[in-house]
Amino acid sequence: MRLACPECDLLHESMEITYGHSGYCQRCGAVLFRNHKNSLDKTLAFAITGLVFFLLANIFPILVFKMNGNTEANQLADGALEFLNSGYWPLGILVLFASVIAPLLVLCLLVSILLPLKYNRLPVIPELQIRTLLSLRPWAMAEIFVIGIMVAFVKLGDFAEVGIGGSLISIICMVLAMVLAFVFLDRRTLWQRLDQLK
Ligand SMILES: [Zn+2]
């Protein structure tokens, strides 16, 4: 099996290396692959953890406002819906996609690829699932959403009593789980596993 460098496209013959080590490009030094022990199992575990936190993030409010005796709670999707309702629909769609849809799709794709592999079965359409996953990954930017929420928290704090809801903590945990899922995902092991089962 041959591997192309993601930076300079130099082709390398793949070789076995010990667990815990990485393979680097001979020309530019870019990381070709990381050889984590049980790479796919760890990625699967973090993806499922991420999905649980995604659900929690959508159940609990992000921010709770108290003003003039009224209490209002905001959900994860409310920010995006607010943009849509105000007529800023391209921004609304972008925020909704980056903070809700893309992270959900990325986590579901990871599970839909890795769960069958764990039980020695092929995913439904493995190539398409993997390619969609890799192209969606840069769009899953729930972390940016968290920054936006923190800004709102600081600004609104001047004229309303603002409390942080359980959702914000869930989003932070979801982002961490997603980052770790990709840290442990070894694409080489993934393709090898698919080849074995075909
Ligand atoms: Zn290179």
Side-chain angles (χ1 to χ4, degrees):
M1 192 175 141
R2 305 185 85 188
L3 271 176
C5 170
E7 300 292 331
C8 71
D9 291 330
L10 183 69
L11 277 176
H12 298 75
E13 283 302 331
S14 173
M15 61 180 84
E16 286 311 312
I17 57 169
T18 43
Y19 285 122
H21 290 76
S22 301
Y24 300 94
C25 174
Q26 288 171 333
R27 187 156 65 194
C28 72
V31 178
L32 292 175
F33 56 87
R34 290 193 172 86
N35 206 5
H36 291 291
K37 205 172 186 181
N38 305 326
S39 147
L40 302 185
D41 284 349
K42 283 176 186 160
T43 301
L44 177 61
F46 281 115
I48 292 171
T49 309
L51 272 179
V52 172
F53 281 116
F54 180 89
L55 285 178
L56 293 176
N58 281 284
I59 292 171
F60 296 114
I62 292 186
L63 294 176
V64 183
F65 301 95
K66 269 186 203 155
M67 206 162 67
N68 307 329
N70 293 326
T71 304
E72 196 188 313
N74 268 42
Q75 297 291 130
L76 179 62
D78 284 351
L81 295 177
E82 198 57 50
F83 282 125
L84 290 175
N85 288 335
S86 320
Y88 297 107
W89 57 267
L91 194 59
I93 290 169
L94 193 68
V95 171
L96 192 66
F97 187 72
S99 64
V100 183
I101 299 170
L104 177 64
L105 282 176
V106 162
L107 292 169
C108 287
L109 279 166
L110 275 174
V111 175
S112 74
I113 294 164
L114 297 174
L115 196 60
L117 287 182
K118 185 163 176 55
Y119 295 100
N120 299 321
R121 298 216 174 133
L122 274 176
V124 191
I125 23 170
E127 279 82 9
L128 184 68
Q129 283 166 281
I130 293 173
R131 275 178 228 300
T132 315
L133 170 72
L134 295 178
S135 49
L136 272 178
R137 166 67 185 130
W139 286 96
M141 295 179 291
E143 53 269 43
I144 285 178
F145 198 75
V146 174
I147 297 167
I149 289 295
M150 295 316 284
V151 172
F153 180 69
V154 172
K155 282 192 166 179
L156 291 169
D158 291 343
F159 53 90
E161 200 181 311
V162 189
I164 290 181
S167 174
L168 193 60
I169 294 127
S170 305
I171 297 174
I172 293 168
C173 293
M174 181 195 78
V175 170
L176 280 177
M178 197 152 61
V179 167
L180 285 170
F182 277 92
V183 163
F184 286 108
L185 179 63
D186 180 1
R187 289 187 211 177
R188 195 182 66 138
T189 312
L190 179 58
W191 288 113
Q192 276 174 349
R193 217 46 206 97
L194 286 172
D195 284 340
Q196 282 169 4
L197 289 170
K198 272 178 189 170

